[in-house]
Amino acid sequence: MSVSKHVNARTVWISDVHLGFKDCKADYLYTFLDSISCETLYLVGDIVDLWSLKKRVYWPQEHYHLLLKLYELAEKGTRVIYIPGNHDDPMRRFDGQTFGPIEIMHEHVFESANGKRLWILHGDAMDAYMQFDWLTKMTGDIAYCFLLWLNRWGNRLRKLAGRPYFSLAGQIKSNVHGARSAIERYKKQCIEEARRQGYDGVVCGHIHSADLDIHDGFTYANTGDWVESCTALIEDYSGKLNLLHFVDKVEWMKPTQEPLAAANAA
Ligand SMILES: [Mn+2]
């Protein structure tokens, strides 16, 4: 499907897509990728959820189409850099190699259009500094599964009512004190480590909590996920970063009919 209103970005980062997991919003991501072009696309980990696939094989056609889409983008000239995460960590053994037109790297140093050096990594390495692997705990948690279930059905009802996608789970998670403090600790750890290594900023994923925080010239960006928040980080040609929510994207594409129809059919 082609989208007439097209955005040109220098760089796009997405992470935590979790293909193979039933709450992955592959169709939304497909619509998003169709509406934007960029020189470099970073896949910041947990693109395919091998843990989930190991438990139960779930592979609908939209997931297959999304993988094809990523491959096709790379073939048509977008530089696609894939940094595996902990849910697709078997791919880490291919560090420095290419998978067709896609480059696989353990981590990467990115230089922005305005000369900032940003450290790009999935971010699960930071769990070692924390009290627990909070995501493993969250995804294994029955309450979290229930939240995702509510999210799924809540959004079906919203769609029937013609309302845009809303991340209920994200909303609740950001209001629960324990989750909030774990997210803050993770962020602090990423910032400390990136500063220690002399970078101007860090771009990571892993905790499914989108963020763009620029403080004293230092950038912390979290790409969020495509399970709940449906977010992407974007750099324009001046080096300015923006965090984009799929819902905003639908809003901004409103003048054209096709994208809305695509989002509603999803
Ligand atoms: Mn992860």
Side-chain angles (χ1 to χ4, degrees):
M1 185 174 316
S2 67
V3 171
S4 47
K5 209 165 195 188
H6 210 87
V7 174
N8 287 311
R10 183 172 182 257
T11 319
V12 172
W13 292 263
I14 53 169
S15 77
D16 300 85
V17 180
H18 291 267
L19 290 169
F21 179 58
K22 67 177 186 303
D23 283 295
C24 160
K25 308 286 186 295
D27 38 8
Y28 288 0
L29 181 54
Y30 194 98
T31 305
F32 169 72
L33 288 174
D34 237 5
S35 71
I36 197 158
S37 40
C38 57
E39 288 178 6
T40 309
L41 170 65
Y42 280 95
L43 307 172
V44 197
D46 290 1
I47 303 304
V48 179
D49 195 331
L50 297 173
W51 294 5
S52 176
L53 283 170
K54 215 169 158 184
K55 272 190 265 171
R56 189 172 83 104
V57 177
Y58 176 81
W59 198 257
Q61 216 171 25
E62 299 86 73
H63 292 201
Y64 173 68
H65 283 158
L66 191 84
L67 272 193
L68 276 187
K69 177 82 182 164
L70 294 172
Y71 198 88
E72 195 186 283
L73 283 172
E75 262 195 336
K76 287 185 177 165
T78 302
R79 184 180 184 198
V80 179
I81 300 176
Y82 172 30
I83 296 172
N86 50 319
H87 284 256
D88 43 13
D89 74 329
M91 298 302 285
R92 282 178 170 158
R93 80 176 75 126
F94 302 114
D95 179 25
Q97 298 186 44
T98 53
F99 179 68
I102 298 176
E103 299 169 54
I104 302 177
M105 297 180 192
H106 190 59
E107 55 180 54
H108 196 231
V109 180
F110 167 78
E111 196 172 321
S112 70
N114 54 6
K116 300 273 186 197
R117 285 171 71 251
L118 306 181
W119 186 26
I120 319 294
L121 76 165
H122 177 63
D124 55 301
M126 298 303 163
D127 290 340
Y129 300 93
M130 302 189 29
Q131 295 303 304
F132 57 91
D133 175 353
W134 90 278
L135 191 74
T136 306
K137 199 176 163 181
M138 279 292 270
T139 49
D141 189 74
I142 190 79
Y144 184 66
C145 290
F146 178 61
L147 267 185
L148 287 179
W149 181 85
L150 270 181
N151 203 37
R152 196 156 63 238
W153 282 97
N155 275 295
R156 278 182 198 172
L157 294 177
R158 286 178 66 86
K159 200 175 287 174
L160 283 176
R163 310 279 302 276
Y165 176 78
F166 172 77
S167 176
L168 175 73
Q171 191 69 21
I172 294 179
K173 205 165 70 187
S174 58
N175 285 312
V176 171
H177 176 71
R180 189 62 4 225
S181 75
I183 290 167
E184 289 305 322
R185 269 186 295 147
Y186 173 85
K187 176 174 173 177
K188 189 167 165 273
Q189 195 55 56
C190 289
I191 293 173
E192 270 174 21
E193 191 54 30
R195 276 191 189 275
R196 198 183 64 76
Q197 296 193 34
Y199 296 111
D200 302 310
V202 56
V203 177
C204 55
H206 186 50
I207 54 164
H208 296 210
S209 181
D211 198 352
L212 177 59
D213 189 356
I214 303 169
H215 225 87
D216 304 328
F218 187 91
T219 301
Y220 170 81
N222 196 299
T223 45
D225 68 311
W226 287 82
V227 172
E228 303 157 42
S229 62
C230 303
T231 43
L233 182 73
I234 288 170
E235 182 205 23
D236 69 15
Y237 279 90
S238 70
K240 188 172 178 289
L241 297 175
N242 266 301
L243 195 62
L244 199 73
H245 289 252
F246 180 74
V247 179
D248 302 340
K249 182 77 191 164
V250 172
E251 288 292 313
W252 139 45
M253 293 193 299
K254 243 176 191 163
T256 59
Q257 286 168 356
E258 219 178 355
L260 268 185
N264 286 334

